[in-house]
Amino acid sequence: MNIEAEFAKLSAVKPLKTNLSRELTVAVMGAGSRGNEYPAYGKLFPGTLRVVAVSDVNAYRRDRMGDAWDIPAERRFGDYHEMLEAGRNGKLADILLIALPDNLHFEPAMEAMRQGYDILLEKPMAQTEAECRALLARQHETGVMVAVGHVLRYSPYFRALKQALDLGLVGELVNIQHQEPVLYAHMAHSFVRGNWHDSKVTTPMIVAKCCHDLDILKWMVGKRCEAVSAEGGVYLFRSDKAPADAPLRCTDGCPHEKDCPYSALEIYDRKRWFMYVFDVPKDCSSEVLREQLEKTDYGRCVYRCDNDQPDHIVAALRFEGGVTCSFTMDAFTPWGGRRTRIMGTLGYIEGDGKTFTLHRFDTGKAYPWAFVPPEGDNYRESGHAGGDLALIRDFLEAVDTRDFTKLSSSLDASVESHLMGFAVERSRLNGTKESI
Ligand SMILES: NC(=O)c1ccc[n+]([C@@H]2O[C@H](COP(=O)([O-])OP(=O)(O)OC[C@H]3O[C@@H](n4cnc5c(N)ncnc54)[C@H](O)[C@@H]3O)[C@@H](O)[C@H]2O)c1
């Protein structure tokens, strides 16, 4: 094998811009963070995608999207049931984007498939195995196209890693070590204080956050996952770890506030991180922000929340043919961005979520890979290392041409990694080894 020539193939990155035969219309359920992420494609590339209906119980977000896309009042819905009801007389758009909270994916997706929508369904697709299987059965029955928001599959970095494996650049794949470093403040924000703090209301951490990782591992290995076992739990964010004199909220004059890295005042007011949840300008005054911290869960002491999501998970995965992966999810890191080490019979790859290096045993050489966006392209404007907008590009192409193969994260392809996640959670909670 000519390693240099094969490795050079990895740098060919598909441009974000696409040409469709017509503009596709989109109805958005949930005009929050993710509900705005994908439609941004239509603003970057006019004539590709247009939002024509929106549903959100939050009037500010509903009208923000309604105004941005000139949506008439009768197409601005509150609760998503109103939008489903309106669709009974004929669908409102070509595509339905479901970007509602985790516990509101299954029901609208089932009904929307019946109404004939092609759907972009945010991950996790559903909250239980039975629901995942029911979604798949409905999709096969109706023949609509359903993409799951497994955005990492579309990022140039993971595409190049996958291609390197498919080209045999490490020989035969034997083992992968993969880490999802969540970042200490992101853990506190989303999984201790925020929307995903309760696994029973949403989904367990391994599904809610790490279904991306299990999906990427399954995709890279390209074989069926046969068995999993796992450990982990809530180490820090629990009431018995709280300083005795810490009040319920960081805004209640906590004596530890200045030294606590998880302080809400530090994370939101002084650092201005994760401001998108508050519906106030990022540069608002400290007084305005303080009001938000006093009335929402984001001001709560991290030791006194009703959280049950583990802050560390260690999982062992066995795939067909004896290929293995070890996966860790770690809250306590100073950065996010996945770290991956890939061991093959002829080579080794080490990557940090942005760049990677292949080390070949035969040539003794190292081959570095870094993403170079195509000239004049907009990849840098996309979240998840380019994955968000690349997913919507491929989905639009698939819908436009009715070619399902353009879609990497179809419902079929995504169900298995969800099943892996539920199995890892059973193993972690029950101390069992679970077959899939
Ligand atoms: N693919 C990814 O990488 C990724 C990243 C983050 C989140 N997500 C997933 O995307 C989904 C949305 O997450 P988000 O961060 O955008 O959350 P968000 O809270 O920002 O947005 C959800 C929106 O749904 C609205 N809503 C709630 N109940 C409703 C109802 N009954 N009817 C209509 N609207 C309702 C809320 O007001 C909110 O604006 C979640 O399932 C989440 O797990 C995916």
mmCIF file of all heavy atoms in Angstrom, residues 65-107:
data_model
loop_
_atom_site.group_PDB
_atom_site.id
_atom_site.type_symbol
_atom_site.label_atom_id
_atom_site.label_comp_id
_atom_site.label_asym_id
_atom_site.label_seq_id
_atom_site.Cartn_x
_atom_site.Cartn_y
_atom_site.Cartn_z
ATOM 1 N N MET A 65 -38.192 33.109 16.017
ATOM 2 C CA MET A 65 -38.084 32.333 14.772
ATOM 3 C C MET A 65 -39.116 32.797 13.751
ATOM 4 O O MET A 65 -38.819 32.927 12.548
ATOM 5 C CB MET A 65 -38.245 30.848 15.062
ATOM 6 C CG MET A 65 -38.160 29.992 13.832
ATOM 7 S SD MET A 65 -37.793 28.279 14.169
ATOM 8 C CE MET A 65 -36.041 28.305 14.418
ATOM 9 N N GLY A 66 -40.325 33.073 14.221
ATOM 10 C CA GLY A 66 -41.380 33.529 13.314
ATOM 11 C C GLY A 66 -40.961 34.790 12.582
ATOM 12 O O GLY A 66 -41.144 34.911 11.367
ATOM 13 N N ASP A 67 -40.362 35.730 13.320
ATOM 14 C CA ASP A 67 -39.957 37.003 12.713
ATOM 15 C C ASP A 67 -38.772 36.800 11.762
ATOM 16 O O ASP A 67 -38.701 37.424 10.700
ATOM 17 C CB ASP A 67 -39.582 38.025 13.801
ATOM 18 C CG ASP A 67 -40.802 38.418 14.638
ATOM 19 O OD1 ASP A 67 -41.936 38.083 14.217
ATOM 20 O OD2 ASP A 67 -40.626 39.024 15.716
ATOM 21 N N ALA A 68 -37.844 35.935 12.169
ATOM 22 C CA ALA A 68 -36.647 35.722 11.337
ATOM 23 C C ALA A 68 -37.004 35.144 9.978
ATOM 24 O O ALA A 68 -36.296 35.362 8.993
ATOM 25 C CB ALA A 68 -35.667 34.792 12.054
ATOM 26 N N TRP A 69 -38.141 34.399 9.925
ATOM 27 C CA TRP A 69 -38.505 33.740 8.669
ATOM 28 C C TRP A 69 -39.829 34.261 8.096
ATOM 29 O O TRP A 69 -40.396 33.631 7.193
ATOM 30 C CB TRP A 69 -38.590 32.223 8.884
ATOM 31 C CG TRP A 69 -37.240 31.601 9.137
ATOM 32 C CD1 TRP A 69 -36.660 31.376 10.342
ATOM 33 C CD2 TRP A 69 -36.298 31.154 8.160
ATOM 34 N NE1 TRP A 69 -35.415 30.801 10.184
ATOM 35 C CE2 TRP A 69 -35.172 30.658 8.847
ATOM 36 C CE3 TRP A 69 -36.296 31.122 6.753
ATOM 37 C CZ2 TRP A 69 -34.056 30.144 8.192
ATOM 38 C CZ3 TRP A 69 -35.177 30.593 6.096
ATOM 39 C CH2 TRP A 69 -34.085 30.112 6.816
ATOM 40 N N ASP A 70 -40.335 35.389 8.625
ATOM 41 C CA ASP A 70 -41.611 35.953 8.138
ATOM 42 C C ASP A 70 -42.734 34.917 8.137
ATOM 43 O O ASP A 70 -43.450 34.755 7.123
ATOM 44 C CB ASP A 70 -41.461 36.507 6.707
ATOM 45 C CG ASP A 70 -40.652 37.786 6.711
ATOM 46 O OD1 ASP A 70 -40.721 38.511 7.723
ATOM 47 O OD2 ASP A 70 -39.937 38.031 5.720
ATOM 48 N N ILE A 71 -42.876 34.218 9.218
ATOM 49 C CA ILE A 71 -43.912 33.181 9.294
ATOM 50 C C ILE A 71 -45.223 33.845 9.725
ATOM 51 O O ILE A 71 -45.251 34.575 10.718
ATOM 52 C CB ILE A 71 -43.510 32.087 10.310
ATOM 53 C CG1 ILE A 71 -42.188 31.430 9.873
ATOM 54 C CG2 ILE A 71 -44.606 31.043 10.461
ATOM 55 C CD1 ILE A 71 -41.585 30.492 10.900
ATOM 56 N N PRO A 72 -46.323 33.613 8.986
ATOM 57 C CA PRO A 72 -47.595 34.245 9.355
ATOM 58 C C PRO A 72 -48.105 33.729 10.710
ATOM 59 O O PRO A 72 -47.758 32.612 11.115
ATOM 60 C CB PRO A 72 -48.548 33.853 8.223
ATOM 61 C CG PRO A 72 -47.905 32.715 7.521
ATOM 62 C CD PRO A 72 -46.435 32.782 7.771
ATOM 63 N N ALA A 73 -48.925 34.556 11.367
ATOM 64 C CA ALA A 73 -49.383 34.250 12.726
ATOM 65 C C ALA A 73 -50.038 32.867 12.814
ATOM 66 O O ALA A 73 -49.851 32.140 13.791
ATOM 67 C CB ALA A 73 -50.359 35.328 13.175
ATOM 68 N N GLU A 74 -50.803 32.483 11.782
ATOM 69 C CA GLU A 74 -51.530 31.207 11.865
ATOM 70 C C GLU A 74 -50.599 29.992 11.746
ATOM 71 O O GLU A 74 -51.021 28.863 11.933
ATOM 72 C CB GLU A 74 -52.663 31.145 10.827
ATOM 73 C CG GLU A 74 -52.255 31.091 9.369
ATOM 74 C CD GLU A 74 -51.967 32.483 8.765
ATOM 75 O OE1 GLU A 74 -51.840 33.464 9.525
ATOM 76 O OE2 GLU A 74 -51.849 32.559 7.524
ATOM 77 N N ARG A 75 -49.333 30.258 11.446
ATOM 78 C CA ARG A 75 -48.370 29.145 11.385
ATOM 79 C C ARG A 75 -47.381 29.198 12.553
ATOM 80 O O ARG A 75 -46.337 28.547 12.530
ATOM 81 C CB ARG A 75 -47.613 29.188 10.068
ATOM 82 C CG ARG A 75 -48.526 28.926 8.874
ATOM 83 C CD ARG A 75 -48.037 27.739 8.131
ATOM 84 N NE ARG A 75 -48.972 27.258 7.148
ATOM 85 C CZ ARG A 75 -48.666 26.339 6.258
ATOM 86 N NH1 ARG A 75 -47.461 25.859 6.224
ATOM 87 N NH2 ARG A 75 -49.553 25.889 5.412
ATOM 88 N N ARG A 76 -47.700 30.022 13.549
ATOM 89 C CA ARG A 76 -46.882 30.075 14.771
ATOM 90 C C ARG A 76 -47.685 29.371 15.864
ATOM 91 O O ARG A 76 -48.669 29.910 16.354
ATOM 92 C CB ARG A 76 -46.586 31.514 15.174
ATOM 93 C CG ARG A 76 -45.819 32.282 14.111
ATOM 94 C CD ARG A 76 -45.459 33.681 14.600
ATOM 95 N NE ARG A 76 -44.861 34.453 13.511
ATOM 96 C CZ ARG A 76 -44.233 35.612 13.676
ATOM 97 N NH1 ARG A 76 -44.113 36.142 14.886
ATOM 98 N NH2 ARG A 76 -43.706 36.249 12.649
ATOM 99 N N PHE A 77 -47.244 28.168 16.222
ATOM 100 C CA PHE A 77 -48.007 27.364 17.174
ATOM 101 C C PHE A 77 -47.327 27.365 18.546
ATOM 102 O O PHE A 77 -46.113 27.524 18.642
ATOM 103 C CB PHE A 77 -48.118 25.920 16.678
ATOM 104 C CG PHE A 77 -48.747 25.810 15.313
ATOM 105 C CD1 PHE A 77 -47.951 25.758 14.165
ATOM 106 C CD2 PHE A 77 -50.127 25.787 15.167
ATOM 107 C CE1 PHE A 77 -48.525 25.670 12.901
ATOM 108 C CE2 PHE A 77 -50.713 25.695 13.904
ATOM 109 C CZ PHE A 77 -49.905 25.635 12.772
ATOM 110 N N GLY A 78 -48.154 27.144 19.580
ATOM 111 C CA GLY A 78 -47.619 26.997 20.933
ATOM 112 C C GLY A 78 -47.176 25.562 21.125
ATOM 113 O O GLY A 78 -46.184 25.116 20.551
ATOM 114 N N ASP A 79 -47.937 24.800 21.885
ATOM 115 C CA ASP A 79 -47.613 23.399 22.133
ATOM 116 C C ASP A 79 -47.543 22.611 20.812
ATOM 117 O O ASP A 79 -48.312 22.892 19.882
ATOM 118 C CB ASP A 79 -48.682 22.799 23.050
ATOM 119 C CG ASP A 79 -48.333 21.390 23.454
ATOM 120 O OD1 ASP A 79 -47.600 21.235 24.443
ATOM 121 O OD2 ASP A 79 -48.762 20.444 22.749
ATOM 122 N N TYR A 80 -46.677 21.618 20.748
ATOM 123 C CA TYR A 80 -46.474 20.891 19.484
ATOM 124 C C TYR A 80 -47.717 20.146 19.022
ATOM 125 O O TYR A 80 -47.882 19.863 17.834
ATOM 126 C CB TYR A 80 -45.279 19.934 19.586
ATOM 127 C CG TYR A 80 -45.492 18.736 20.472
ATOM 128 C CD1 TYR A 80 -46.047 17.566 19.967
ATOM 129 C CD2 TYR A 80 -45.151 18.758 21.816
ATOM 130 C CE1 TYR A 80 -46.254 16.460 20.763
ATOM 131 C CE2 TYR A 80 -45.347 17.665 22.624
ATOM 132 C CZ TYR A 80 -45.906 16.515 22.101
ATOM 133 O OH TYR A 80 -46.109 15.431 22.908
ATOM 134 N N HIS A 81 -48.634 19.839 19.972
ATOM 135 C CA HIS A 81 -49.872 19.158 19.550
ATOM 136 C C HIS A 81 -50.667 20.028 18.573
ATOM 137 O O HIS A 81 -51.335 19.515 17.683
ATOM 138 C CB HIS A 81 -50.741 18.834 20.770
ATOM 139 C CG HIS A 81 -50.171 17.732 21.612
ATOM 140 N ND1 HIS A 81 -49.466 17.971 22.764
ATOM 141 C CD2 HIS A 81 -50.159 16.384 21.435
ATOM 142 C CE1 HIS A 81 -49.067 16.827 23.276
ATOM 143 N NE2 HIS A 81 -49.467 15.845 22.488
ATOM 144 N N GLU A 82 -50.586 21.351 18.763
ATOM 145 C CA GLU A 82 -51.314 22.259 17.851
ATOM 146 C C GLU A 82 -50.769 22.124 16.430
ATOM 147 O O GLU A 82 -51.512 22.140 15.453
ATOM 148 C CB GLU A 82 -51.164 23.716 18.307
ATOM 149 C CG GLU A 82 -51.785 24.018 19.651
ATOM 150 C CD GLU A 82 -51.376 25.397 20.169
ATOM 151 O OE1 GLU A 82 -51.062 26.293 19.355
ATOM 152 O OE2 GLU A 82 -51.336 25.575 21.404
ATOM 153 N N MET A 83 -49.456 21.984 16.342
ATOM 154 C CA MET A 83 -48.855 21.842 15.007
ATOM 155 C C MET A 83 -49.238 20.496 14.384
ATOM 156 O O MET A 83 -49.552 20.405 13.195
ATOM 157 C CB MET A 83 -47.336 21.970 15.101
ATOM 158 C CG MET A 83 -46.637 21.895 13.762
ATOM 159 S SD MET A 83 -44.863 22.059 13.905
ATOM 160 C CE MET A 83 -44.613 23.754 13.454
ATOM 161 N N LEU A 84 -49.253 19.458 15.210
ATOM 162 C CA LEU A 84 -49.642 18.136 14.692
ATOM 163 C C LEU A 84 -51.095 18.171 14.229
ATOM 164 O O LEU A 84 -51.437 17.601 13.191
ATOM 165 C CB LEU A 84 -49.476 17.070 15.784
ATOM 166 C CG LEU A 84 -48.043 16.636 16.114
ATOM 167 C CD1 LEU A 84 -48.054 15.621 17.242
ATOM 168 C CD2 LEU A 84 -47.341 16.052 14.879
ATOM 169 N N GLU A 85 -51.931 18.847 15.008
ATOM 170 C CA GLU A 85 -53.351 18.952 14.668
ATOM 171 C C GLU A 85 -53.493 19.630 13.300
ATOM 172 O O GLU A 85 -54.228 19.149 12.433
ATOM 173 C CB GLU A 85 -54.048 19.779 15.775
ATOM 174 C CG GLU A 85 -55.551 19.677 15.812
ATOM 175 C CD GLU A 85 -56.073 18.243 15.820
ATOM 176 O OE1 GLU A 85 -55.507 17.388 16.551
ATOM 177 O OE2 GLU A 85 -57.035 17.981 15.060
ATOM 178 N N ALA A 86 -52.780 20.732 13.106
ATOM 179 C CA ALA A 86 -52.872 21.468 11.834
ATOM 180 C C ALA A 86 -52.393 20.594 10.670
ATOM 181 O O ALA A 86 -52.870 20.721 9.549
ATOM 182 C CB ALA A 86 -52.035 22.743 11.913
ATOM 183 N N GLY A 87 -51.473 19.676 10.937
ATOM 184 C CA GLY A 87 -50.931 18.814 9.881
ATOM 185 C C GLY A 87 -51.876 17.704 9.466
ATOM 186 O O GLY A 87 -51.636 17.010 8.475
ATOM 187 N N ARG A 88 -52.935 17.517 10.224
ATOM 188 C CA ARG A 88 -53.880 16.431 9.874
ATOM 189 C C ARG A 88 -54.594 16.708 8.549
ATOM 190 O O ARG A 88 -55.045 15.798 7.880
ATOM 191 C CB ARG A 88 -54.918 16.238 10.989
ATOM 192 C CG ARG A 88 -54.324 15.585 12.231
ATOM 193 C CD ARG A 88 -55.387 15.215 13.258
ATOM 194 N NE ARG A 88 -54.812 15.153 14.602
ATOM 195 C CZ ARG A 88 -54.062 14.164 15.048
ATOM 196 N NH1 ARG A 88 -53.801 13.121 14.287
ATOM 197 N NH2 ARG A 88 -53.548 14.203 16.261
ATOM 198 N N ASN A 89 -54.694 17.987 8.187
ATOM 199 C CA ASN A 89 -55.345 18.327 6.904
ATOM 200 C C ASN A 89 -54.338 18.456 5.771
ATOM 201 O O ASN A 89 -54.622 19.052 4.742
ATOM 202 C CB ASN A 89 -56.086 19.672 7.033
ATOM 203 C CG ASN A 89 -57.074 19.657 8.162
ATOM 204 O OD1 ASN A 89 -57.771 18.670 8.344
ATOM 205 N ND2 ASN A 89 -57.107 20.734 8.951
ATOM 206 N N GLY A 90 -53.161 17.961 5.966
ATOM 207 C CA GLY A 90 -52.106 18.091 4.953
ATOM 208 C C GLY A 90 -50.880 18.682 5.628
ATOM 209 O O GLY A 90 -51.005 19.642 6.400
ATOM 210 N N LYS A 91 -49.712 18.090 5.349
ATOM 211 C CA LYS A 91 -48.530 18.539 6.091
ATOM 212 C C LYS A 91 -48.178 19.990 5.775
ATOM 213 O O LYS A 91 -48.462 20.473 4.670
ATOM 214 C CB LYS A 91 -47.355 17.579 5.882
ATOM 215 C CG LYS A 91 -47.018 17.282 4.467
ATOM 216 C CD LYS A 91 -45.888 16.257 4.388
ATOM 217 C CE LYS A 91 -45.426 16.179 2.950
ATOM 218 N NZ LYS A 91 -44.121 15.662 2.757
ATOM 219 N N LEU A 92 -47.539 20.637 6.738
ATOM 220 C CA LEU A 92 -47.278 22.075 6.640
ATOM 221 C C LEU A 92 -46.000 22.380 5.868
ATOM 222 O O LEU A 92 -45.753 23.519 5.494
ATOM 223 C CB LEU A 92 -47.153 22.674 8.047
ATOM 224 C CG LEU A 92 -48.316 22.407 9.018
ATOM 225 C CD1 LEU A 92 -47.976 22.925 10.407
ATOM 226 C CD2 LEU A 92 -49.589 23.072 8.505
ATOM 227 N N ALA A 93 -45.170 21.357 5.698
ATOM 228 C CA ALA A 93 -43.862 21.589 5.060
ATOM 229 C C ALA A 93 -43.334 20.244 4.549
ATOM 230 O O ALA A 93 -43.894 19.192 4.856
ATOM 231 C CB ALA A 93 -42.888 22.176 6.084
ATOM 232 N N ASP A 94 -42.245 20.307 3.780
ATOM 233 C CA ASP A 94 -41.628 19.050 3.320
ATOM 234 C C ASP A 94 -41.032 18.284 4.496
ATOM 235 O O ASP A 94 -41.083 17.068 4.573
ATOM 236 C CB ASP A 94 -40.481 19.352 2.336
ATOM 237 C CG ASP A 94 -40.955 20.104 1.111
ATOM 238 O OD1 ASP A 94 -41.877 19.602 0.445
ATOM 239 O OD2 ASP A 94 -40.404 21.201 0.838
ATOM 240 N N ILE A 95 -40.422 19.059 5.410
ATOM 241 C CA ILE A 95 -39.601 18.461 6.471
ATOM 242 C C ILE A 95 -40.111 18.933 7.824
ATOM 243 O O ILE A 95 -40.487 20.093 7.990
ATOM 244 C CB ILE A 95 -38.133 18.920 6.300
ATOM 245 C CG1 ILE A 95 -37.535 18.282 5.045
ATOM 246 C CG2 ILE A 95 -37.297 18.601 7.534
ATOM 247 C CD1 ILE A 95 -36.220 18.932 4.617
ATOM 248 N N LEU A 96 -40.093 18.024 8.808
ATOM 249 C CA LEU A 96 -40.361 18.432 10.189
ATOM 250 C C LEU A 96 -39.066 18.268 10.987
ATOM 251 O O LEU A 96 -38.455 17.194 10.974
ATOM 252 C CB LEU A 96 -41.461 17.553 10.808
ATOM 253 C CG LEU A 96 -41.778 17.869 12.267
ATOM 254 C CD1 LEU A 96 -42.403 19.254 12.408
ATOM 255 C CD2 LEU A 96 -42.730 16.830 12.863
ATOM 256 N N LEU A 97 -38.659 19.338 11.652
ATOM 257 C CA LEU A 97 -37.497 19.269 12.544
ATOM 258 C C LEU A 97 -38.017 19.144 13.961
ATOM 259 O O LEU A 97 -38.712 20.038 14.459
ATOM 260 C CB LEU A 97 -36.648 20.542 12.387
ATOM 261 C CG LEU A 97 -35.606 20.829 13.472
ATOM 262 C CD1 LEU A 97 -34.626 19.683 13.628
ATOM 263 C CD2 LEU A 97 -34.849 22.119 13.145
ATOM 264 N N ILE A 98 -37.712 18.028 14.618
ATOM 265 C CA ILE A 98 -38.140 17.837 16.016
ATOM 266 C C ILE A 98 -36.952 18.117 16.924
ATOM 267 O O ILE A 98 -36.012 17.320 17.012
ATOM 268 C CB ILE A 98 -38.698 16.414 16.254
ATOM 269 C CG1 ILE A 98 -39.884 16.168 15.311
ATOM 270 C CG2 ILE A 98 -39.118 16.236 17.720
ATOM 271 C CD1 ILE A 98 -40.558 14.807 15.474
ATOM 272 N N ALA A 99 -36.983 19.293 17.552
ATOM 273 C CA ALA A 99 -35.898 19.710 18.445
ATOM 274 C C ALA A 99 -36.482 20.048 19.815
ATOM 275 O O ALA A 99 -36.094 21.026 20.451
ATOM 276 C CB ALA A 99 -35.149 20.898 17.842
ATOM 277 N N LEU A 100 -37.426 19.215 20.234
ATOM 278 C CA LEU A 100 -38.070 19.369 21.542
ATOM 279 C C LEU A 100 -37.208 18.675 22.593
ATOM 280 O O LEU A 100 -36.280 17.933 22.248
ATOM 281 C CB LEU A 100 -39.459 18.713 21.492
ATOM 282 C CG LEU A 100 -40.480 19.352 20.539
ATOM 283 C CD1 LEU A 100 -41.639 18.399 20.270
ATOM 284 C CD2 LEU A 100 -40.990 20.663 21.127
ATOM 285 N N PRO A 101 -37.518 18.851 23.883
ATOM 286 C CA PRO A 101 -36.796 18.104 24.923
ATOM 287 C C PRO A 101 -36.901 16.588 24.703
ATOM 288 O O PRO A 101 -37.851 16.109 24.059
ATOM 289 C CB PRO A 101 -37.512 18.520 26.212
ATOM 290 C CG PRO A 101 -38.125 19.854 25.895
ATOM 291 C CD PRO A 101 -38.487 19.809 24.446
ATOM 292 N N ASP A 102 -35.950 15.842 25.280
ATOM 293 C CA ASP A 102 -35.828 14.390 25.036
ATOM 294 C C ASP A 102 -37.141 13.616 25.218
ATOM 295 O O ASP A 102 -37.410 12.667 24.485
ATOM 296 C CB ASP A 102 -34.820 13.762 26.010
ATOM 297 C CG ASP A 102 -33.406 14.255 25.800
ATOM 298 O OD1 ASP A 102 -33.219 15.224 25.042
ATOM 299 O OD2 ASP A 102 -32.487 13.676 26.396
ATOM 300 N N ASN A 103 -37.940 14.013 26.216
ATOM 301 C CA ASN A 103 -39.152 13.243 26.513
ATOM 302 C C ASN A 103 -40.285 13.551 25.546
ATOM 303 O O ASN A 103 -41.356 12.960 25.641
ATOM 304 C CB ASN A 103 -39.613 13.511 27.958
ATOM 305 C CG ASN A 103 -39.862 14.979 28.213
ATOM 306 O OD1 ASN A 103 -39.196 15.834 27.647
ATOM 307 N ND2 ASN A 103 -40.833 15.298 29.048
ATOM 308 N N LEU A 104 -40.037 14.470 24.592
ATOM 309 C CA LEU A 104 -41.078 14.835 23.619
ATOM 310 C C LEU A 104 -40.626 14.527 22.187
ATOM 311 O O LEU A 104 -40.910 15.289 21.271
ATOM 312 C CB LEU A 104 -41.444 16.320 23.768
ATOM 313 C CG LEU A 104 -41.908 16.777 25.154
ATOM 314 C CD1 LEU A 104 -42.222 18.271 25.166
ATOM 315 C CD2 LEU A 104 -43.131 15.985 25.615
ATOM 316 N N HIS A 105 -39.915 13.450 22.009
ATOM 317 C CA HIS A 105 -39.489 13.073 20.652
ATOM 318 C C HIS A 105 -40.393 11.985 20.066
ATOM 319 O O HIS A 105 -40.771 12.037 18.908
ATOM 320 C CB HIS A 105 -38.045 12.549 20.668
ATOM 321 C CG HIS A 105 -37.025 13.620 20.920
ATOM 322 N ND1 HIS A 105 -35.677 13.403 20.897
ATOM 323 C CD2 HIS A 105 -37.164 14.932 21.204
ATOM 324 C CE1 HIS A 105 -35.032 14.527 21.147
ATOM 325 N NE2 HIS A 105 -35.909 15.461 21.354
ATOM 326 N N PHE A 106 -40.685 10.994 20.894
ATOM 327 C CA PHE A 106 -41.351 9.795 20.393
ATOM 328 C C PHE A 106 -42.742 10.084 19.821
ATOM 329 O O PHE A 106 -43.013 9.778 18.662
ATOM 330 C CB PHE A 106 -41.439 8.751 21.517
ATOM 331 C CG PHE A 106 -42.196 7.527 21.138
ATOM 332 C CD1 PHE A 106 -41.689 6.654 20.179
ATOM 333 C CD2 PHE A 106 -43.436 7.238 21.717
ATOM 334 C CE1 PHE A 106 -42.387 5.509 19.819
ATOM 335 C CE2 PHE A 106 -44.141 6.105 21.357
ATOM 336 C CZ PHE A 106 -43.616 5.235 20.409
ATOM 337 N N GLU A 107 -43.587 10.704 20.627
ATOM 338 C CA GLU A 107 -44.989 10.883 20.214
ATOM 339 C C GLU A 107 -45.107 11.731 18.933
ATOM 340 O O GLU A 107 -45.749 11.296 17.972
ATOM 341 C CB GLU A 107 -45.788 11.497 21.375
ATOM 342 C CG GLU A 107 -47.282 11.513 21.102
ATOM 343 C CD GLU A 107 -47.967 12.727 21.721
ATOM 344 O OE1 GLU A 107 -47.408 13.349 22.650
ATOM 345 O OE2 GLU A 107 -49.061 13.080 21.244
#
